[in-house]
Amino acid sequence: MATHALQQKAQTTNQITGQRRWWALATVMVTMFFASMDQTIVSTAIPTIIGDLQGFALYAWVFSAYMLTSAVSVPIYGKLSDVYGRKPFYIFGLVMFGVGSATCGQALTMTELVLARGLQGIGAGAMMSMPRATVGDIFNPKERGRWMGLMGAVFGLSSIIGPAVGGWITDSFSWRWVFYINLPFAALAIIGVVLSLPKVRADEQVKIDWFGSALLATGLVPVLLGFTWAGTKYPWASPVELALLGGGAIMLALFIWYERKVSDPLITPILFRNRIFSTSLILGIFVSMAMFGSVMFLPLFVQGVIGLSPRDSGLVMAPMMISFIVGSIISGQIMTKTGKYLLLSHISAAAIILGTILLMTMDINTGYTAVIVNMVVLGLGVGSLMPLLNIAVQNAFPYRMMGTVNSTQQFVSSLGGVISSPIFGSILNRGFQDRFNSALPGTIKELTGNITRIDPQTLLTEQAQRAIAGQFARFGAAGQEMYLQLLHTVKVALAAGISNLFEVGLVFSMLCFIGTFFLPERTLQGDEYYSDSREKKIS
């Protein structure tokens, strides 16, 4: 009798129906909010952390350890959750994230913090893959677009308030509370998962591809470090960089070869034979490259060129985040009503091109109002296209594979972000230095010598500006004038360097627009998506 009751509670799929679906959706929103906010909060607090723990040499590892363990674990969570259900892996990920957060807060050295961040990343892998898969368990592909705006709102809100919350916590309490604040959110999410997600009865067994995971980690470690250090700690063509990137590429090639041979691979090669999947991945990378310069360096432009106070830096991206949400809502409603997405992808990509062109025209005379307009146009395009690609991919495969499909898409997307950051940073620094050296008045070069070898990002701090102003003070009355000329030159050079980023972004936005014409369209499914789909074609 007890066995019969247990079987009644278990399901054969992850689908969530009835009133329980709304509790599950609320749980997903809580998880997405604090997981997304965690990244922005940590980024804000990292200078204070480094100063306290005295470990600048391990600075890159604070992020690399987290990215590595989360990236490797994402495909594992996705594959296992398709068979055994989302619930156990959702709970495990939240527990690991909470333990990792508490351990980070207790760290006494940078080495301890790096190890704790790696532990935290294991949990973060579940929070990258499980929420999107759970939304697919709640809503069919045609319904899903209607709710993408809500998911975008959670992401946008966390991106806006994260820096402000991080700064407030660090100044008012301690940087350790940047990690401790995750614990009540994780506990709340665990309660929601336990109450709302179904228990799934597994009819098959799946083996974890541990050797493939080891190959992937061995390849990712040098690649992550190579791209993190490139152009900053080491030149791109240095022996260290060539060894890191070359060695990592060889190991990743071995990983791909092994995955094609093994019976139960970590990343399923058959996914890439599907044109919707492969095209969407390429388009996603193009979109990330097109917008990455905006997300990373627009705050630098607004602060360094326009002169907005650093205290307001957390609000710089608010217009783009809000337009991102609006674009997501509009495109979601259109997809839900029509069941189509191809024409919408063309329009969204065109808006991204227009937004990038507008950003590319900015210079030292551009006002903040114009920057807002430009960000809004770009945000509308990106907000419309990114959720569209996710829905198109989910719709292209049987429901039983959704966790695997989502996690693979998330994995590739996260690697694209890792690669983009140092490339754009290198482009900015080179463009800035070239313009700075050519625009700086000769009198300042003669008097200051190596003072002109500066980093535009560090110069914008109040401490750096006071230090340079103090050096110019020794030149008497003319020193103040030269200092103002130096700051003007920095603004001109910074505007030129960031403009170079948008030129690169324009290339990728145009490639994205062209790529949408290669995206196959398949009518979005309704509730038939959840029917027994083992006989449905995968490719």
Side-chain angles (χ1 to χ4, degrees), residues 15 45 58 72 175 196 247 256 396 423 528:
Q15 186 179 4
L58 294 176
V72 173
W175 63 262
S196 62
I256 295 172
I423 292 176
E528 68 272 14

Side-chain angles (χ1 to χ4, degrees), residues 23-39 66 86-87 89-95 97-98 123-135 151 154-155 158 182 184-194 196-197:
W23 290 105
L25 181 62
T27 300
V28 167
M29 297 298 105
V30 170
T31 305
M32 290 181 62
F33 177 79
F34 85 85
S36 176
M37 192 171 69
D38 174 74
Q39 287 299 89
Y66 182 92
R86 321 276 183 232
K87 191 171 188 173
F89 305 104
Y90 215 144
I91 294 174
F92 176 78
L94 287 166
V95 170
F97 190 83
M127 292 189 293
M128 290 179 182
S129 56
M130 292 298 100
R132 289 206 307 183
T134 303
V135 170
M151 298 177 67
V154 171
F155 172 75
S158 64
N182 292 325
F185 285 105
L188 185 63
I190 289 174
I191 294 172
V193 170
V194 170
S196 62
L197 266 63

Side-chain angles (χ1 to χ4, degrees), residues 314-337:
L315 300 177
V316 167
M317 299 306 295
M320 180 177 286
M321 292 297 105
I322 294 172
S323 63
F324 184 95
I325 296 168
V326 173
S328 180
I329 293 173
I330 293 173
S331 67
Q333 293 292 333
I334 293 174
M335 284 188 287
T336 297
K337 185 174 182 179

